[in-house]
Amino acid sequence: MGQSRAQSKAQARAHELRRLIEFHNYRYYVLDDPEVPDAEYDRLLHELETLEKEFPVLVTPESPTQRVGGTPMDGFDEIRHRVPMLSLANAFESGEVADFHRRVCEGLERDDIVFAAEPKLDGVAISLTYRSGLLTTAATRGDGERGEDVTSNVRTIRAVPLKLRGDGWPELLEVRGEIYMPRAGFETFNRRALERDEKPLVNPRNGAAGSLRQLDPQMTAKRPLAFFAYSTATRDHLPDSQFDTLTRLREWGFPVNPEIRRVTGLEGCLQYHADLGERRAGLGYDIDGVVYKVDAFKQQDILGFVSRAPRWALAHKFPAEEEITRLLAIDVQVGRTGALTPVARLEPVFVGGVTVTNATLHNQGEIRRKDVRPGDWVVVRRAGDVIPEVARALHGRRETELAEFRMPLSCPECGSAVERVEGEAVSRCTGGLICPAQIKHSIRHFATRKAMDIEGLGDKLVDQLVEQGLISTVADLYHLDHDQIASLARMGGKSAENLLLALQKSKQPSLDRLLYALGIREVGEVTAHSLAAHFGTMEALLQASEETLTEVSDVGPIVASHVAAFFAQENNRQVIQALKDAGMDWQPVEDLGGEQPLDGETWVLTGSLSMPRVQAKNILVSLGAKVTGSVSGKTSVVLAGEAAGSKLKKAEKLGVRVISEDEFHEFLDEQGISL
Ligand code: IVH
């Protein structure tokens, strides 16, 4: 008795939970207006799962917990469509749409035709059968007459209702529509696949098709699939037009594309096509055109069919976003910051509405991952206004052995060495000060306020000076004469005088300013200061090895490798020499001459300190100490802050001297350093 009372209570709750879950599903997938956060939805679903586990007799096939069914299948059964799934006639040009419109007007003997205009979704066609309001089968299109039974897979797609909402639906209802993969889901899926070294999906359409063909529904359930309904197989219990039918389907719980409109005449159709074409890239899912359907069923029936396509509908395609062409060569371009980008030279191909001859290949890692080689047949993709890219190579079409592409070791613009920092995707030219591709950028940076602060030397003037051939490195600035400057556009005698004065004034920078102004990668003002303080002179810095560079506070291995690569360049050294020859005299940041109190000592910082750790490190380094990360027999002192852990223990074990932060401050006082 107690058991059955508990069970009937559970049954009532299960019923309520299903109602709530179905309602939230409807808000989310059909109205696109969720009422509760995902976490709340998950809680309801979890509660229902728990209840059903406790009372298995309460489980029903249409329960939202029953989307992912049991065991993998051996294959798919064949299903014969009660009503064939037809195809659509295609048009690519507006002239073909005009022909279609004319035929429709002639057939109906009128010229005020109303159409339902819809996005043509780029996914997989599906037919869903509902009996007594419950989903019983889902079949692919196949050859239009017979498709495959993919019910177990389609049940896992939450946008597909397992049970119809509301009332008034016929006993047997067959709804047709498109299963698709939203772009965001596609991208997330592929990012994860790459992280796990798994094969990524080629594009959202293939992703949708492949997901439906999984033999294990558990796999399909993991794919980000969605659904839009666009028609029915029969018209029982339905309104008398396409547009109103879709509205009714929405009421019964089917997601219907929100972009569908009623339009009138040829003009209405073409305007819809143009408008959606412009917004195509921002839709969140792929479409390959629009579909015009004569809206009134009575009119559709008059027009009828020709072969396998209705006379009352037309697919007006957009230019394809992907096309195949031959990759002729891979060239390398140098950007204004020195980044080397491989550029694909292509046999011209019409894609995404324009003729494409060049496309990006991003970087060398991407080329290797996609295994794209000059001579390959490749798929070029251009979506919206996005820069065309080589999406993939068709390896099956390789006729001969093709050589792999390699990044050049020297810059194609200036011949300087190319560096590739480990862990970074990009290769870069190290000749920033002389490379024609980068020269404007590097001179502009040199002149900025935080760098050499050359007043009056703005971007436009730099451009003119370079374009007129008056300067080709920063050192040339100091050889400009009055007449040369005054002869430039928008410059006069007075502004030439002012610029010469500003240049003169900039000839005695502190060493750190100069280092910053040189535009070495990853060397900002703070790092420039640390380098200048540590080495004292340019000469010392020029001789520093990569290893010595890492001893500088806030210089890690990556920064050290950039600095070392920069100074290893003969070209860059020449520019520095030329600056000196032009009379530039850089000043040491602080006099580091003589002995430092902590010379030869190695310190380790641990625990939390009241001052920023870099500050403590900088101070110690400026006093001559080396600061390292781990305690060893070579450690001289461990500075232990609050809650110091294993490093402190190790120091104690090894008998290394440990001082507290208070003691450290006392020591700083003694050194005359106040914080
Ligand atoms: S109506 C008789 N409407 O396009 C009309 N089809 O060749 C049958 N498609 O693979 C289709 N979006 O899956 C229709 N809004 C839409 C569509 C659409 C995409 C696909 C359909 C089929 C192909 C028709």
Side-chain angles (χ1 to χ4, degrees):
M1 190 64 201
Q3 169 68 17
S4 73
R5 198 179 307 133
Q7 185 167 322
S8 67
K9 216 174 132 201
Q11 180 157 25
R13 179 65 184 155
H15 190 77
E16 175 64 7
L17 284 168
R18 284 180 198 136
R19 198 186 59 76
L20 281 169
I21 292 166
E22 280 156 13
F23 171 74
H24 291 312
N25 233 17
Y26 173 72
R27 295 284 302 231
Y28 190 93
Y29 290 105
V30 181
L31 301 186
D32 194 16
D33 179 24
E35 191 187 79
V36 294
D38 291 358
E40 172 66 8
Y41 179 93
D42 293 342
R43 256 194 300 277
L44 295 171
L45 198 62
H46 183 71
E47 190 186 339
L48 181 61
E49 275 165 1
T50 315
L51 258 187
E52 289 180 351
K53 216 174 266 166
E54 201 178 333
F55 300 98
V57 291
L58 298 182
V59 178
T60 61
E62 66 278 7
S63 171
T65 58
Q66 301 303 301
R67 284 197 174 268
V68 187
T71 46
M73 299 159 279
D74 302 329
F76 300 102
D77 291 338
E78 192 180 271
I79 284 199
R80 202 187 160 83
H81 298 300
R82 260 178 301 274
V83 177
M85 291 181 79
L86 303 175
S87 56
L88 292 168
N90 283 329
F92 293 90
E93 312 284 341
S94 48
E96 296 168 88
V97 183
D99 293 343
F100 160 76
H101 182 255
R102 190 175 29 75
R103 286 194 303 272
V104 169
C105 290
E106 283 168 7
L108 297 174
E109 295 176 349
R110 56 194 298 169
D111 57 8
D112 57 349
I113 317 292
V114 174
F115 296 90
E118 311 178 357
K120 185 168 188 301
L121 306 155
D122 206 2
V124 182
I126 199 86
S127 186
L128 307 172
T129 304
Y130 291 80
R131 287 183 187 274
S132 308
L134 301 182
L135 175 68
T136 54
T137 32
T140 59
R141 179 172 183 278
D143 63 4
E145 297 286 341
R146 285 162 226 270
E148 283 178 323
D149 182 349
V150 287
T151 313
S152 311
N153 287 342
V154 170
R155 285 177 61 93
T156 68
I157 303 168
R158 281 201 195 162
V160 173
L162 296 179
K163 187 177 159 207
L164 300 184
R165 285 175 63 79
D167 48 36
W169 20 264
E171 165 57 27
L172 172 67
L173 175 69
E174 199 169 325
V175 170
R176 288 171 178 180
E178 198 90 347
I179 306 266
Y180 66 97
M181 189 176 279
R183 282 192 202 131
F186 167 77
E187 260 141 42
T188 312
F189 186 91
N190 269 3
R191 198 161 2 97
R192 297 218 177 111
L194 287 178
E195 277 165 16
R196 295 192 202 125
D197 243 354
E198 289 165 6
K199 210 170 150 34
L201 304 169
V202 168
N203 58 35
R205 206 192 70 78
N206 275 26
S211 304
L212 277 192
R213 301 210 79 262
Q214 295 292 321
L215 290 172
D216 183 356
Q218 307 254 17
M219 298 299 287
T220 313
K222 288 185 192 141
R223 305 289 178 93
L225 298 177
F227 170 71
F228 279 131
Y230 55 62
S231 71
T232 57
T234 49
R235 296 189 190 140
D236 275 1
H237 291 59
L238 283 165
D240 59 5
S241 74
Q242 165 71 6
F243 194 86
D244 292 339
T245 294
L246 294 182
T247 307
R248 184 65 50 84
L249 289 181
R250 190 180 276 137
E251 287 161 14
W252 289 341
F254 294 97
V256 171
N257 191 291
E259 303 292 342
I260 298 178
R261 303 277 182 276
R262 263 189 175 123
V263 300
T264 309
L266 175 62
E267 206 178 309
C269 289
L270 294 179
Q271 205 171 344
Y272 180 82
H273 182 266
D275 171 56
L276 209 58
E278 258 175 43
R279 295 189 297 114
R280 180 186 188 187
L283 286 180
Y285 44 85
D286 282 0
I287 61 174
D288 59 352
V290 302
V291 187
Y292 311 123
K293 299 173 183 171
V294 171
D295 190 41
F297 288 155
K298 248 195 225 138
Q299 295 183 342
Q300 290 189 0
D301 294 342
I302 296 171
L303 292 164
F305 296 84
V306 54
S307 65
R308 313 218 43 77
R311 280 205 191 89
W312 44 263
L314 181 75
H316 187 183
K317 304 289 276 281
F318 291 134
E321 288 182 326
E322 287 191 351
E323 283 294 353
I324 295 170
T325 190
R326 180 83 85 158
L327 175 63
L328 302 174
I330 299 179
D331 286 349
V332 173
Q333 270 177 1
V334 188
R336 64 187 185 95
T337 60
L340 265 57
T341 353
V343 179
R345 304 290 179 212
L346 305 164
E347 208 146 89
V349 61
F350 190 73
V351 53
V354 297
T355 300
V356 169
T357 46
N358 303 317
T360 176
L361 280 157
H362 301 291
N363 55 56
Q364 194 179 5
E366 190 87 358
I367 297 176
R368 195 167 303 145
R369 194 170 63 71
K370 292 178 174 166
D371 188 17
V372 178
R373 304 181 187 194
D376 263 331
W377 287 98
V378 293
V379 174
V380 177
R381 184 174 168 81
R382 180 184 179 271
D385 289 332
V386 182
I387 301 166
E389 62 159 2
V390 172
R392 57 191 177 276
L394 302 175
H395 297 135
R397 284 218 202 168
R398 256 182 212 162
E399 293 129 16
T400 52
E401 188 80 2
L402 297 173
E404 259 180 68
F405 164 80
R406 289 195 188 286
M407 267 294 181
L409 298 174
S410 56
C411 171
E413 293 279 346
C414 71
S416 301
V418 166
E419 68 164 355
R420 167 104 194 265
V421 174
E422 209 157 310
E424 275 184 28
V426 181
S427 301
R428 286 178 193 277
C429 162
T430 52
L433 292 179
I434 55 119
C435 181
Q438 302 172 66
I439 199 72
K440 283 184 186 169
H441 182 72
S442 81
I443 298 174
R444 284 171 179 182
H445 170 75
F446 187 80
T448 51
R449 201 170 49 76
K450 288 180 183 166
M452 307 300 281
D453 194 15
I454 307 172
E455 213 174 306
L457 185 55
D459 292 356
K460 293 237 167 68
L461 187 52
V462 171
D463 291 355
Q464 279 200 72
L465 289 166
V466 175
E467 282 157 21
Q468 304 277 321
L470 295 176
I471 57 173
S472 54
T473 74
V474 290
D476 296 340
L477 285 168
Y478 297 94
H479 297 294
L480 287 169
D481 66 30
H482 183 278
D483 290 354
Q484 283 175 322
I485 303 171
S487 70
L488 296 170
R490 287 181 305 276
M491 296 295 285
K494 185 75 195 151
S495 32
E497 239 165 69
N498 288 342
L499 180 61
L500 285 173
L501 265 175
L503 282 164
Q504 194 58 34
K505 229 173 83 188
S506 74
K507 276 187 173 173
Q508 293 208 317
S510 55
L511 179 57
D512 59 332
R513 255 184 196 266
L514 176 67
L515 288 175
Y516 172 69
L518 292 176
I520 307 165
R521 268 197 77 65
E522 306 267 352
V523 176
E525 294 158 274
V526 177
T527 308
H529 184 84
S530 308
L531 287 167
H534 188 94
F535 291 99
T537 64
M538 181 67 93
E539 288 66 31
L541 186 52
L542 284 170
Q543 277 162 25
S545 68
E546 203 168 319
E547 205 192 338
T548 342
L549 283 163
T550 55
E551 284 167 17
V552 179
S553 61
D554 95 351
V555 171
I558 292 184
V559 178
S561 79
H562 284 302
V563 176
F566 183 90
F567 288 118
Q569 269 310 302
E570 191 47 39
N571 294 324
N572 292 338
R573 287 171 172 262
Q574 278 171 8
V575 173
I576 293 166
Q577 186 59 46
L579 283 169
K580 205 169 184 181
D581 295 345
M584 187 171 282
D585 184 15
W586 39 86
Q587 312 292 313
V589 169
E590 66 195 42
D591 189 3
L592 295 182
E595 288 202 351
Q596 297 295 318
L598 300 181
D599 272 350
E601 290 195 11
T602 304
W603 284 54
V604 172
L605 309 180
T606 184
S608 67
L609 302 173
S610 60
M611 68 172 83
R613 202 174 264 231
V614 268
Q615 192 186 0
K617 188 176 169 190
N618 283 345
I619 294 168
L620 287 166
V621 170
S622 73
L623 293 172
K626 196 172 150 182
V627 178
T628 66
S630 57
V631 179
S632 73
K634 290 189 193 144
T635 310
S636 325
V637 181
V638 169
L639 167 56
E642 289 285 314
S646 61
K647 288 182 192 172
L648 175 59
K649 281 213 186 86
K650 189 155 181 204
E652 283 163 352
K653 206 168 122 200
L654 295 173
V656 172
R657 184 177 160 216
V658 176
I659 65 166
S660 68
E661 195 176 348
D662 283 346
E663 289 170 295
F664 180 55
H665 282 283
E666 274 169 35
F667 166 71
L668 294 183
D669 280 345
E670 285 165 23
Q671 300 299 318
I673 297 173
S674 58
L675 296 172

